[in-house]
Amino acid sequence: MIKVLIVDDDFMVAKVHAGFIQRTPGFTVVGVAHTGAQAVVETERLQPDLVLLDIHLPDINGLDLMQRLRDVAPELDVLVISAAREVETVRKALRGGIVHYLIKPFSQKDLHERLEHYRSAYQGLDSSKDVAEQADVNRVFGLDSAGAQGGRPLPKGCSVETLKLVKGALTAADGDLSANEVAVQLGTSRVSARRYLEYLHAEGVLEVRLKYGVGRPERRYVLKV
Amino acid sequence: MIKVLIVDDDFMVAKVHAGFIQRTPGFTVVGVAHTGAQAVVETERLQPDLVLLDIHLPDINGLDLMQRLRDVAPELDVLVISAAREVETVRKALRGGIVHYLIKPFSQKDLHERLEHYRSAYQGLDSSKDVAEQADVNRVFGLDSAGAQGGRPLPKGCSVETLKLVKGALTAADGDLSANEVAVQLGTSRVSARRYLEYLHAEGVLEVRLKYGVGRPERRYVLKV
DNA sequence: GAAAGTTAAGTTCATTGAGTACACAATTTT
DNA sequence: AAAATTGTGTACTCAATGAACTTAACTTTC
């Protein structure tokens, strides 16, 4: 569980963020601070993994606060959330080694994406490994060619929604599935199921095994690795 | 022209890097340093925009050196190039606000990509602008592709009133609704209903399920739990 | 070992809803 | 009062799917 501390002077905003993060699987809100002083105290006490930091605070500039928090907890990661969009502020924050800089107002989806990215990128780089691969570092900087849907734009005649369903079916399945089985499971036609399966196969996500019997052999699809 | 300082204890390596960067349009090598002490002096004297920094140095740890360089030139960006792949070293560097961390050995292509990225991302965020857009920040983190959706205050051509009606319809509905059903219920056109529904979907408020039948599948919208 | 038999893969295209471009009317700004 | 702006609708094009079909890759039979 990734422990998050929210730092925002606006009570309502802090509450909303807290609620959202609490509902995000894998994340838990361990505390909320409304001033820089509180933030330092809470960081020391709670040792969060991640701080959601608003730049605008009553007692101290958020960027300076960031340095203080790092003194208290060197392992701390910071996600800046701010309405401040002056280039100098942003650049300074970037040089401070932040996880991301979200400019208000942003949608729940934006925040959700950043949290997911944090989990997969930064946390994949933790104690479970001793040495990092270049791929791990690239992931942090968003160069993850495979992972999310950021990649190439699906062939014409395909939808993200259906693709997800197909992936889901394969993940849920214990072993391999035929196009027909996938179709039945999703409620689509075999033709559609096949479209997506072959797409995933072309992408290198799936492996195909032939199952022989009477008649033409059946193509059975399995997720790789 | 982006001024680059190379810091590497190996003379040959430094020379190779320098040659490569010199040949990269838009970049120029202003100096080379082989020790941490030299690096500090040269940084102060030459005021480079970017430092190519090897972690392994004879007189000081590269990560500590980075802090010193920042003291001398706060505007400095750092691209770490190192054979060091201990996770702790990498994480520490990331928290130090580096531009990227390239693990040796790497190809010229890798370096070239990082330089191009630096130019388009970081330099696009310089004095020419006063305020940054979310898109600018995303570019730094390599999210230039899909990230769009800048303004939260509703897309052009939408009203809060209608938005509320749409939300209301969804809340009242027991299950999911199609754009058409929402339209009929509100007395608006399907197009308008869709506008709001897709907006809510982009916001992450709604979920879309496809209902398959003959012909193109129907998008059915449900409020997320 | 060729022909027949069997089963599923692969293709075509009608169908139906999604998505877009632009026109329009009601505002607000100049 | 002319011009820009905004929220909506009309009329269209495009896209995701499945039914019906043809083709392919095997096994079995003689």
Side-chain angles (χ1 to χ4, degrees):
Chain A
M1 208 57 127
I2 297 166
K3 295 186 288 180
V4 184
L5 173 68
I6 318 264
V7 181
D8 200 311
D9 63 330
D10 186 321
F11 277 68
M12 269 312 293
V13 171
K15 203 163 186 174
V16 170
H17 288 165
F20 183 77
I21 287 177
Q22 197 61 53
R23 286 196 306 278
T24 304
F27 291 82
T28 185
V29 176
V30 291
V32 177
H34 303 292
T35 66
Q38 275 179 35
V40 174
V41 172
E42 292 297 74
T43 298
E44 187 150 30
R45 186 168 69 88
L46 303 165
Q47 293 289 317
D49 301 300
L50 180 68
V51 170
L52 247 65
L53 179 63
D54 190 352
I55 293 288
H56 176 77
L57 290 173
D59 55 343
I60 186 176
N61 176 285
L63 295 175
D64 299 331
L65 173 60
M66 195 166 82
Q67 300 309 325
R68 299 243 189 124
L69 296 181
R70 286 271 169 75
D71 292 341
V72 173
E75 295 282 288
L76 189 66
D77 287 318
V78 178
L79 176 50
V80 172
I81 289 185
S82 163
R85 45 202 283 169
E86 297 76 39
V87 167
E88 266 323 300
T89 307
V90 176
R91 293 197 70 158
K92 206 168 163 188
L94 290 177
R95 284 203 207 85
I98 60 174
V99 167
H100 203 90
Y101 192 111
L102 270 179
I103 296 173
K104 292 185 190 178
F106 53 87
S107 68
Q108 294 205 346
K109 199 177 176 184
D110 292 331
L111 179 54
H112 187 255
E113 271 176 12
R114 288 299 89 206
L115 291 175
E116 287 299 330
H117 180 249
Y118 175 76
R119 172 162 48 197
S120 75
Y122 287 74
Q123 297 289 308
L125 201 60
D126 70 0
S127 37
S128 66
K129 277 189 180 182
D130 287 349
V131 298
E133 297 297 324
Q134 183 68 58
D136 296 323
V137 178
N138 287 350
R139 197 147 22 85
V140 171
F141 287 96
L143 271 67
D144 186 3
S145 50
Q149 55 145 87
R152 53 245 131 249
L154 282 180
K156 297 250 178 193
C158 289
S159 62
V160 230
E161 287 79 11
T162 307
L163 182 62
K164 276 187 186 163
L165 288 178
V166 173
K167 272 189 185 167
L170 283 160
T171 314
D174 204 21
D176 49 13
L177 290 171
S178 70
N180 232 321
E181 287 164 0
V182 173
V184 169
Q185 204 168 317
L186 302 190
T188 72
S189 69
R190 177 186 60 88
V191 178
S192 291
R194 195 189 80 85
R195 240 176 234 136
Y196 290 90
L197 290 168
E198 285 301 323
Y199 164 72
L200 289 170
H201 180 221
E203 288 291 300
V205 181
L206 297 185
E207 220 166 70
V208 177
R209 296 173 190 160
L210 294 187
K211 183 184 168 190
Y212 303 93
V214 177
R216 180 169 175 158
E218 197 181 46
R219 295 170 74 84
R220 300 195 63 84
Y221 303 85
V222 219
L223 281 171
K224 271 190 188 171
V225 189
Chain B
M1 206 58 124
I2 298 166
K3 294 185 288 180
V4 184
L5 174 68
I6 319 264
V7 182
D8 199 310
D9 63 331
D10 187 321
F11 278 66
M12 270 310 294
V13 172
K15 202 162 187 176
V16 171
H17 288 166
F20 182 77
I21 287 178
Q22 197 60 51
R23 287 196 305 278
T24 305
F27 290 83
T28 185
V29 177
V30 292
V32 178
H34 303 293
T35 66
Q38 275 179 35
V40 174
V41 172
E42 293 296 77
T43 299
E44 188 149 29
R45 186 167 70 87
L46 304 165
Q47 292 288 317
D49 302 300
L50 179 68
V51 170
L52 246 64
L53 180 62
D54 189 353
I55 294 288
H56 176 76
L57 290 172
D59 55 341
I60 186 177
N61 176 284
L63 295 174
D64 297 332
L65 173 60
M66 194 164 84
Q67 300 309 325
R68 299 245 189 122
L69 296 181
R70 286 269 168 74
D71 292 341
V72 174
E75 295 282 288
L76 188 68
D77 287 319
V78 178
L79 175 51
V80 172
I81 288 185
S82 163
R85 46 204 285 168
E86 296 76 38
V87 168
E88 265 324 300
T89 307
V90 176
R91 294 197 72 158
K92 207 168 163 189
L94 291 176
R95 284 202 206 88
I98 60 174
V99 166
H100 202 92
Y101 192 110
L102 270 180
I103 296 173
K104 291 187 192 177
F106 53 86
S107 67
Q108 293 208 343
K109 193 180 168 191
D110 291 332
L111 179 54
H112 186 255
E113 270 176 14
R114 287 301 89 206
L115 291 175
E116 287 300 328
H117 181 250
Y118 175 76
R119 172 164 49 199
S120 76
Y122 286 75
Q123 297 288 307
L125 199 61
D126 70 1
S127 36
S128 66
K129 278 190 178 178
D130 286 350
V131 297
E133 297 297 324
Q134 183 70 59
D136 297 322
V137 179
N138 286 349
R139 196 146 23 82
V140 172
F141 288 97
L143 270 68
D144 48 344
S145 53
Q149 285 305 57
R152 295 304 101 189
L154 279 180
K156 297 258 178 193
C158 288
S159 63
V160 225
E161 289 76 12
T162 310
L163 183 62
K164 276 186 184 162
L165 288 178
V166 173
K167 271 189 186 167
L170 283 160
T171 315
D174 203 21
D176 49 13
L177 291 172
S178 71
N180 234 322
E181 288 165 1
V182 173
V184 169
Q185 203 168 317
L186 303 189
T188 71
S189 72
R190 176 186 61 88
V191 176
S192 291
R194 195 190 80 83
R195 250 178 223 133
Y196 291 90
L197 289 168
E198 285 300 324
Y199 165 72
L200 290 170
H201 179 223
E203 287 293 297
V205 181
L206 295 185
E207 215 168 75
V208 176
R209 293 174 193 160
L210 295 187
K211 184 183 167 190
Y212 303 96
V214 177
R216 183 169 173 156
E218 197 181 51
R219 295 171 76 84
R220 301 196 61 86
Y221 303 85
V222 218
L223 282 170
K224 272 190 187 168
V225 277

